[in-house]
Amino acid sequence: MSSDEYVASPEYVLTLVLQVEKAERPGQTDALETAARAVLAILADERSVGEGEWAEAMRGWQDARIRKVVRRARGAEWRRAEALPGITVTGGTAVVRVFPPVPLDDVPKDLAKLQVTGTDLEDPDELPATADGEPVLWVNPGLEMSTGKTMAQVGHGAHLAWFELSDADRKAWQEDDFHLAVRTATPALWKELMGSGLPVVQDAGFTEIDPGSYTVIADHPALR
């Protein structure tokens, strides 16, 4: 093929939309955990594999950078987003809808116009300790990221863990409704985890943080 015949493959993006109503804001950790579970839900969905209707787009997306964008919606915006093909996942106070990947220049207008920056939430209560054997996505304590940015990063972490799990472990996780926890590591734990060989997310640095920053480590018991 000559150079003038070459057509670059499109870059795909997967969109996550968090429901944030005026009077009902979700908790930070609920939003993070639900976003990660939403990514796993679409990876495991029958429409995403084999000859499923989303499979080609999923392959195109995963063969390149697994780019994710987090947006927020409320009221009529949320209802319009719900009408588009996707999967809605709930967790505690959070509701997240995940949409199959599309080329960057082909994001549906009802998603493209949603706010993408400035989402910052808080946890209303102290978080419980993680349980033995519980999958945990550990966030780097040395970085400052918005809720939206962190949602994308824990989504990446869950995705990397999914890549490395066996089919049996994937099935078991799916049957457990993709249960997981998200916590910020202590500096000492982060240093230990960085030497563990567990999947670690390295960010491209397009927004908020420096290129090459390590953001999340996926600690799934099956990968120990």
Side-chain angles (χ1 to χ4, degrees):
M1 179 183 290
S2 65
S3 60
D4 60 345
E5 292 175 319
Y6 176 76
V7 178
S9 299
E11 183 176 359
Y12 284 81
V13 60
L14 177 139
T15 301
L16 297 136
V17 176
L18 174 68
Q19 185 179 20
V20 183
E21 300 293 343
K22 266 189 175 181
E24 297 181 24
R25 293 173 66 83
Q28 162 90 350
T29 299
D30 283 349
L32 300 180
E33 292 175 352
T34 306
R37 290 175 52 239
V39 170
L40 294 167
I42 200 167
L43 289 170
D45 193 277
E46 61 183 10
R47 290 166 289 184
S48 298
V49 298
E51 300 302 318
E53 61 187 284
W54 300 340
E56 184 176 354
M58 292 292 285
R59 285 192 291 269
W61 172 57
Q62 294 186 92
D63 285 346
R65 291 190 301 114
I66 52 173
R67 186 166 181 174
K68 301 175 181 71
V69 172
V70 176
R71 301 178 184 270
R72 66 177 188 266
R74 68 185 187 203
E77 295 174 332
W78 175 259
R79 291 190 290 274
R80 285 192 292 269
E82 271 195 311
L84 298 172
I87 301 170
T88 297
V89 178
T90 60
T93 58
V95 182
V96 173
R97 188 163 177 83
V98 59
F99 301 87
V102 294
L104 273 173
D105 58 359
D106 199 27
V107 176
K109 63 180 182 179
D110 284 332
L111 298 182
K113 65 185 179 183
L114 296 176
Q115 185 78 19
V116 70
T117 59
T119 301
D120 286 297
L121 303 173
E122 297 179 354
D123 284 312
D125 303 302
E126 186 174 345
L127 298 173
T130 59
D132 290 342
E134 182 177 31
V136 183
L137 301 172
W138 294 103
V139 178
N140 186 340
L143 298 175
E144 291 188 10
M145 299 183 288
S146 67
T147 299
K149 177 72 173 181
T150 312
M151 287 172 66
Q153 297 306 301
V154 297
H156 291 331
H159 198 155
L160 294 182
W162 186 257
F163 275 152
E164 296 197 18
L165 290 174
S166 67
D167 288 344
D169 288 325
R170 289 179 178 181
K171 183 178 180 182
W173 206 5
Q174 184 175 12
E175 290 174 348
D176 195 29
D177 200 24
F178 301 116
H179 174 76
L180 55 82
V182 175
R183 297 290 187 273
T184 299
T186 63
L189 176 59
W190 182 259
K191 183 177 180 180
E192 176 186 334
L193 290 168
M194 280 295 294
S196 67
L198 291 167
V200 57
V201 179
Q202 188 171 20
D203 191 63
F206 292 119
T207 59
E208 297 191 24
I209 58 177
D210 292 335
S213 297
Y214 295 106
T215 59
V216 172
I217 293 174
D219 187 0
H220 191 290
L223 300 178
R224 284 282 186 171

